Amino acid sequence: MHLLDPINFSFPLLATATQAADSSMVVAAVLLSLVVVYLASKVGGELSNQVGLPPVLGELVGGVVVGISVFHLLVFPEGGTDSSNSLIMSFLQITAGLTPEATPAVFAAQSEVISVLAELGVIILLFEIGLESNLKDLMAVGIQATVVAIVGVVVPFAAGTVGLMTLFGIAAVPAIFAGAALTATSIGITSKVLSELGRLNSKEGQIILGAAVIDDVLGIIVLAVVASLAKDGVVDVSKVIYLIISATGFILGAILLGNVFNKSFVAIADKLKTRGGLVIPAFIFAFAMAYLAAVIHLEAILGAFAAGLVLEETDKRKELQRQVCPIADMLVPIFFVTVGAKTDLGVLNPAIPDNREGLIMATFLIIVAILGKVITGLSVFGQPEINRLAIGVGMIPRGEVGLVFAGVGAASGALSKPLGAAIIMMVILTTFLAPPLLRFVFPDPKTVDSGSDQLILDGSSGTSLVIEPPQLRVPASTDSGNLEVTPESSDR
């Protein structure tokens, strides 16, 4: 990402728009692009929600449909595409009098504006994730979740990186980037399915959610390190050590800062009486932290995430989360749709011989992504009755976190087209597969005949939940006289 480059801090967007292109045409092109982005995100998100999948996945697929892979409505020059491939440019030529000579400059400026908005969207997304990551809950999940999270980061990262370098001859930096993308876990998808299954508060559910939260923190640190390496294009061991230490220190410093800054932030917000009295100071802090992260050669998104962690500890966190949501709703979809639009799935077409290696690469990443997380369940110790397979499966979905890796990788130029498309396919398939797999490994409550009564057992632990007469099959939530038995057990 180059949104906040501390060394070469220039404004190519403004220069392009005002000097080389007609600014009114640039504005028109950007407005049409936003119409396409929001339509794709809304239609895709709604359709995805209808089939029980996260809306963010629909936004990604919507981006693929309107992008270089299908309709060519939203295309970008980074992949070698020119203005002649953009239907938006063609539409402007027909309806707004855009001349063919001026089209390349307008196309370049429009693409730059949308890319900047997308990067701003991912910064706000990470700020929002930080606001929703409770540090007290993080520290309370215990050693089990920490071990699961570490295994879930180390195993897929190592297997993916080494496999790509040895089996496919991928260079170190892109292989490391792809390996890093395998470390992510989407807490939103897993928590939704666990809630629907009634397992959110089970021992397995608590370990999965705790590990997923820790995964997010570790993943953001890994992403900051890898993205910084991608800017140089080479792996320097001393620089890797520096980046790991500085990224970890940055997060820990932000946590310590929170204890001092919280009361001051609330006091300042209380004194401001005009509109935006809470959300504007919050964004000032978030953007300042993002800039500070960029200055020390980390990623701006790490600073935004750290700012969210700090402000989550304030008394204003719930109100702040509500006020940030509409802003995120405007900018975050631009990021996800743009990631999809830039992904050329045509490079995975098996009918073209040159594409088959990319398809094999995608298959390899998908296998590593699934097995690398399933194996995490084996790291749980001291719990003989626990459903280890369920814990591993619960860590599989990559969701929006995996898309952040793919988007940053594409923006940095570290990923080739086939590798970038392979990562996107891995994110899509793991996200699709996780909900049905979770339902399979968490079976429905078993029914056991017991004389005149029926005993319904929890499928994972054998704990008795409800006792009811065989002829009276009425939901326990009604006033039917059912006897609910909720024993105190270690699984609750």
Side-chain angles (χ1 to χ4, degrees), residues 221 225 239-252 296-298 302:
I221 292 175
V225 172
K239 185 178 181 183
V240 171
I241 294 172
Y242 161 76
L243 288 171
I244 292 173
I245 293 173
S246 59
T248 306
F250 191 86
I251 292 290
L252 294 176
I296 59 175
H297 302 289
L298 296 172
L302 181 68

mmCIF file of all heavy atoms in Angstrom, residues 221 225 239-252 296-298 302:
data_model
loop_
_atom_site.group_PDB
_atom_site.id
_atom_site.type_symbol
_atom_site.label_atom_id
_atom_site.label_comp_id
_atom_site.label_asym_id
_atom_site.label_seq_id
_atom_site.Cartn_x
_atom_site.Cartn_y
_atom_site.Cartn_z
ATOM 1 N N ILE A 221 -0.236 -8.013 12.296
ATOM 2 C CA ILE A 221 1.209 -7.819 12.475
ATOM 3 C C ILE A 221 1.974 -8.478 11.328
ATOM 4 O O ILE A 221 2.881 -7.882 10.740
ATOM 5 C CB ILE A 221 1.664 -8.389 13.835
ATOM 6 C CG1 ILE A 221 1.080 -7.545 14.983
ATOM 7 C CG2 ILE A 221 3.185 -8.426 13.937
ATOM 8 C CD1 ILE A 221 1.365 -8.094 16.360
ATOM 9 N N VAL A 225 4.332 -6.635 8.378
ATOM 10 C CA VAL A 225 5.716 -7.041 8.107
ATOM 11 C C VAL A 225 5.891 -7.418 6.637
ATOM 12 O O VAL A 225 6.805 -6.955 5.947
ATOM 13 C CB VAL A 225 6.113 -8.227 9.016
ATOM 14 C CG1 VAL A 225 7.477 -8.781 8.610
ATOM 15 C CG2 VAL A 225 6.138 -7.788 10.476
ATOM 16 N N LYS A 239 15.965 -6.912 8.614
ATOM 17 C CA LYS A 239 14.784 -6.055 8.469
ATOM 18 C C LYS A 239 13.528 -6.779 8.946
ATOM 19 O O LYS A 239 12.642 -6.167 9.552
ATOM 20 C CB LYS A 239 14.602 -5.623 7.015
ATOM 21 C CG LYS A 239 13.453 -4.622 6.857
ATOM 22 C CD LYS A 239 13.281 -4.128 5.442
ATOM 23 C CE LYS A 239 12.133 -3.126 5.378
ATOM 24 N NZ LYS A 239 11.867 -2.648 4.011
ATOM 25 N N VAL A 240 13.443 -8.092 8.679
ATOM 26 C CA VAL A 240 12.301 -8.871 9.162
ATOM 27 C C VAL A 240 12.215 -8.806 10.683
ATOM 28 O O VAL A 240 11.150 -8.581 11.263
ATOM 29 C CB VAL A 240 12.396 -10.342 8.691
ATOM 30 C CG1 VAL A 240 11.329 -11.195 9.363
ATOM 31 C CG2 VAL A 240 12.250 -10.428 7.180
ATOM 32 N N ILE A 241 13.376 -9.002 11.338
ATOM 33 C CA ILE A 241 13.414 -8.948 12.804
ATOM 34 C C ILE A 241 12.983 -7.557 13.286
ATOM 35 O O ILE A 241 12.189 -7.424 14.224
ATOM 36 C CB ILE A 241 14.826 -9.303 13.319
ATOM 37 C CG1 ILE A 241 15.147 -10.768 12.985
ATOM 38 C CG2 ILE A 241 14.926 -9.061 14.821
ATOM 39 C CD1 ILE A 241 16.568 -11.168 13.270
ATOM 40 N N TYR A 242 13.504 -6.504 12.626
ATOM 41 C CA TYR A 242 13.133 -5.134 12.999
ATOM 42 C C TYR A 242 11.630 -4.914 12.859
ATOM 43 O O TYR A 242 10.981 -4.347 13.737
ATOM 44 C CB TYR A 242 13.888 -4.128 12.126
ATOM 45 C CG TYR A 242 13.254 -2.751 12.120
ATOM 46 C CD1 TYR A 242 13.408 -1.891 13.206
ATOM 47 C CD2 TYR A 242 12.469 -2.330 11.040
ATOM 48 C CE1 TYR A 242 12.809 -0.639 13.215
ATOM 49 C CE2 TYR A 242 11.871 -1.084 11.040
ATOM 50 C CZ TYR A 242 12.038 -0.244 12.130
ATOM 51 O OH TYR A 242 11.431 0.995 12.137
ATOM 52 N N LEU A 243 11.068 -5.386 11.744
ATOM 53 C CA LEU A 243 9.643 -5.156 11.491
ATOM 54 C C LEU A 243 8.775 -5.909 12.485
ATOM 55 O O LEU A 243 7.757 -5.387 12.961
ATOM 56 C CB LEU A 243 9.296 -5.584 10.058
ATOM 57 C CG LEU A 243 9.837 -4.671 8.955
ATOM 58 C CD1 LEU A 243 9.621 -5.308 7.584
ATOM 59 C CD2 LEU A 243 9.160 -3.300 8.997
ATOM 60 N N ILE A 244 9.163 -7.153 12.821
ATOM 61 C CA ILE A 244 8.388 -7.926 13.797
ATOM 62 C C ILE A 244 8.415 -7.230 15.155
ATOM 63 O O ILE A 244 7.381 -7.071 15.819
ATOM 64 C CB ILE A 244 8.931 -9.362 13.905
ATOM 65 C CG1 ILE A 244 8.648 -10.126 12.603
ATOM 66 C CG2 ILE A 244 8.305 -10.087 15.093
ATOM 67 C CD1 ILE A 244 9.283 -11.503 12.550
ATOM 68 N N ILE A 245 9.606 -6.796 15.561
ATOM 69 C CA ILE A 245 9.731 -6.120 16.866
ATOM 70 C C ILE A 245 8.967 -4.805 16.870
ATOM 71 O O ILE A 245 8.238 -4.488 17.822
ATOM 72 C CB ILE A 245 11.223 -5.890 17.209
ATOM 73 C CG1 ILE A 245 11.923 -7.230 17.437
ATOM 74 C CG2 ILE A 245 11.356 -4.994 18.447
ATOM 75 C CD1 ILE A 245 13.427 -7.115 17.618
ATOM 76 N N SER A 246 9.099 -4.023 15.794
ATOM 77 C CA SER A 246 8.433 -2.717 15.756
ATOM 78 C C SER A 246 6.923 -2.867 15.671
ATOM 79 O O SER A 246 6.181 -2.107 16.317
ATOM 80 C CB SER A 246 8.948 -1.887 14.571
ATOM 81 O OG SER A 246 8.719 -2.546 13.343
ATOM 82 N N ALA A 247 6.436 -3.859 14.904
ATOM 83 C CA ALA A 247 4.985 -4.064 14.807
ATOM 84 C C ALA A 247 4.412 -4.520 16.140
ATOM 85 O O ALA A 247 3.360 -4.023 16.593
ATOM 86 C CB ALA A 247 4.675 -5.091 13.721
ATOM 87 N N THR A 248 5.088 -5.476 16.784
ATOM 88 C CA THR A 248 4.626 -5.940 18.095
ATOM 89 C C THR A 248 4.689 -4.814 19.118
ATOM 90 O O THR A 248 3.747 -4.614 19.901
ATOM 91 C CB THR A 248 5.482 -7.132 18.566
ATOM 92 O OG1 THR A 248 5.482 -8.142 17.549
ATOM 93 C CG2 THR A 248 4.933 -7.712 19.865
ATOM 94 N N GLY A 249 5.792 -4.074 19.107
ATOM 95 C CA GLY A 249 5.929 -2.944 20.028
ATOM 96 C C GLY A 249 4.886 -1.870 19.779
ATOM 97 O O GLY A 249 4.395 -1.232 20.720
ATOM 98 N N PHE A 250 4.531 -1.674 18.515
ATOM 99 C CA PHE A 250 3.529 -0.669 18.171
ATOM 100 C C PHE A 250 2.178 -1.039 18.787
ATOM 101 O O PHE A 250 1.502 -0.191 19.380
ATOM 102 C CB PHE A 250 3.407 -0.572 16.651
ATOM 103 C CG PHE A 250 2.594 0.604 16.178
ATOM 104 C CD1 PHE A 250 3.176 1.844 15.996
ATOM 105 C CD2 PHE A 250 1.241 0.468 15.920
ATOM 106 C CE1 PHE A 250 2.432 2.922 15.560
ATOM 107 C CE2 PHE A 250 0.482 1.548 15.479
ATOM 108 C CZ PHE A 250 1.083 2.773 15.300
ATOM 109 N N ILE A 251 1.786 -2.316 18.651
ATOM 110 C CA ILE A 251 0.508 -2.764 19.224
ATOM 111 C C ILE A 251 0.538 -2.672 20.748
ATOM 112 O O ILE A 251 -0.397 -2.161 21.377
ATOM 113 C CB ILE A 251 0.197 -4.207 18.786
ATOM 114 C CG1 ILE A 251 -0.095 -4.251 17.284
ATOM 115 C CG2 ILE A 251 -0.987 -4.773 19.562
ATOM 116 C CD1 ILE A 251 -1.399 -3.604 16.882
ATOM 117 N N LEU A 252 1.619 -3.166 21.359
ATOM 118 C CA LEU A 252 1.715 -3.114 22.821
ATOM 119 C C LEU A 252 1.753 -1.670 23.320
ATOM 120 O O LEU A 252 1.136 -1.336 24.339
ATOM 121 C CB LEU A 252 2.973 -3.861 23.293
ATOM 122 C CG LEU A 252 2.971 -5.378 23.045
ATOM 123 C CD1 LEU A 252 4.301 -5.984 23.471
ATOM 124 C CD2 LEU A 252 1.818 -6.038 23.797
ATOM 125 N N ILE A 296 7.270 4.586 10.525
ATOM 126 C CA ILE A 296 8.254 3.602 11.003
ATOM 127 C C ILE A 296 8.272 2.364 10.089
ATOM 128 O O ILE A 296 8.668 1.282 10.492
ATOM 129 C CB ILE A 296 7.997 3.197 12.464
ATOM 130 C CG1 ILE A 296 6.602 2.588 12.642
ATOM 131 C CG2 ILE A 296 8.162 4.390 13.387
ATOM 132 C CD1 ILE A 296 6.343 2.050 14.048
ATOM 133 N N HIS A 297 7.813 2.573 8.833
ATOM 134 C CA HIS A 297 7.895 1.564 7.777
ATOM 135 C C HIS A 297 7.005 0.348 8.024
ATOM 136 O O HIS A 297 7.302 -0.756 7.578
ATOM 137 C CB HIS A 297 9.349 1.121 7.559
ATOM 138 C CG HIS A 297 10.261 2.251 7.210
ATOM 139 N ND1 HIS A 297 10.215 2.897 5.985
ATOM 140 C CD2 HIS A 297 11.219 2.895 7.933
ATOM 141 C CE1 HIS A 297 11.117 3.853 5.966
ATOM 142 N NE2 HIS A 297 11.731 3.892 7.134
ATOM 143 N N LEU A 298 5.910 0.558 8.745
ATOM 144 C CA LEU A 298 4.874 -0.450 8.852
ATOM 145 C C LEU A 298 3.735 -0.042 7.933
ATOM 146 O O LEU A 298 3.851 0.894 7.157
ATOM 147 C CB LEU A 298 4.406 -0.575 10.305
ATOM 148 C CG LEU A 298 5.467 -1.067 11.297
ATOM 149 C CD1 LEU A 298 4.953 -0.958 12.722
ATOM 150 C CD2 LEU A 298 5.867 -2.501 10.991
ATOM 151 N N LEU A 302 -2.111 -1.008 10.205
ATOM 152 C CA LEU A 302 -1.739 -1.425 11.551
ATOM 153 C C LEU A 302 -1.990 -0.289 12.541
ATOM 154 O O LEU A 302 -2.482 -0.517 13.656
ATOM 155 C CB LEU A 302 -0.273 -1.847 11.592
ATOM 156 C CG LEU A 302 0.223 -2.338 12.964
ATOM 157 C CD1 LEU A 302 -0.442 -3.650 13.329
ATOM 158 C CD2 LEU A 302 1.743 -2.510 12.970
#
